[in-house]
Amino acid sequence: MKKSSVYDCTIIEFDQHHSNRKGNLTVVENAKTVPFDVKRTYYLYDVPGGESRGGHAHKELRQLIIAASGSFAVTLDDGNVKRTFTLNRPYQGLYVVPGIWRTLDDFSSGAVCLVLASHGYDEGDYIRDYNDFMEYKK
Ligand code: TYD
C-alpha cells in the first residue's frame, strides 16, 4: 500500500438502532460493517485540549477510527494530498488504509477515540518519522 491515497480512506456509516427515549445502539461487526477483521481495539481518552496524537503512518495496519464520544479532527496525508475529517458521530467510522500519515487533534472535552485495528500491536509496522514516510511513498 505504498501508493495508497487519502481518497482510499472513507467515512463508513453504521446502522443505528433507535429506541425512542432509551437512547441508541450501534453494532460494528467483522465482515459486515468493517472492511477487515478486527484483531485489536484500543481507545484514546483524557486527551488535553490543544494536544495532538498520531503523527505516524502504518505499513500494513488498517484502522477504523470512531468518535465514540465527543469530537476530534483526523488529518490524513498520503504525501501528496491532505484531507481533514471531523469525527463527532458515534455511528460513523473513518476507514484508514495503510501508507497514510495521520494526525489527530482538536479533541473536545470528554472525547473518546475508539480505534478498531486489523492487526495486533507491532512497533515494526509504524513509520514515525515524516521524512522516512516521504521516502517510503516514493
Ligand atoms: P502510539 O501509537 O504512538 O499513540 P498515538 O499515535 O495515539 O499518539 O502509542 C502510544 C504508546 O502506547 C506507545 O508507547 C505504544 C503503546 N501502544 C501499545 O502498547 N499497544 C497499542 O495497541 C497501541 C496503539 C499503543
Side-chain angles (χ1 to χ4, degrees):
M1 291 295 268
K2 283 164 82 85
K3 297 289 175 205
S4 61
S5 128
V6 291
Y7 297 108
D8 300 321
C9 304
T10 50
I11 294 283
I12 297 176
E13 294 263 338
F14 311 131
D15 287 342
Q16 294 178 73
H17 301 265
H18 300 285
S19 33
N20 289 342
R21 289 178 304 279
K22 299 207 289 182
N24 302 320
L25 183 152
T26 285
V27 183
V28 180
E29 198 171 353
N30 282 346
K32 287 190 184 167
T33 343
V34 201
F36 54 82
D37 271 357
V38 177
K39 298 273 171 49
R40 176 171 51 120
T41 303
Y42 63 91
Y43 39 100
L44 297 168
Y45 52 95
D46 290 347
V47 180
E51 274 303 330
S52 71
R53 303 289 310 227
H56 61 250
H58 288 281
K59 297 176 193 162
E60 299 293 337
L61 192 73
R62 294 164 192 274
Q63 291 168 306
L64 195 61
I65 302 177
I66 301 165
S69 182
S71 67
F72 50 87
V74 185
T75 300
L76 304 180
D77 174 1
D78 58 20
N80 187 33
V81 176
K82 288 184 187 177
R83 286 175 88 189
T84 297
F85 297 84
T86 298
L87 298 184
N88 54 12
R89 311 236 185 268
Y91 53 85
Q92 289 180 340
L94 176 61
Y95 173 50
V96 182
V97 300
I100 302 289
W101 188 269
R102 90 286 316 279
T103 310
L104 286 72
D105 60 13
D106 216 5
F107 284 83
S108 70
S109 162
V112 178
C113 169
L114 174 64
V115 183
L116 312 182
S118 63
H119 293 83
Y121 176 71
D122 173 13
E123 186 57 37
D125 188 63
Y126 281 75
I127 304 170
R128 291 196 182 270
D129 181 274
Y130 192 76
N131 291 327
D132 292 347
F133 171 68
M134 291 305 284
E135 269 306 305
Y136 178 79
K137 294 298 277 185
K138 276 185 185 165

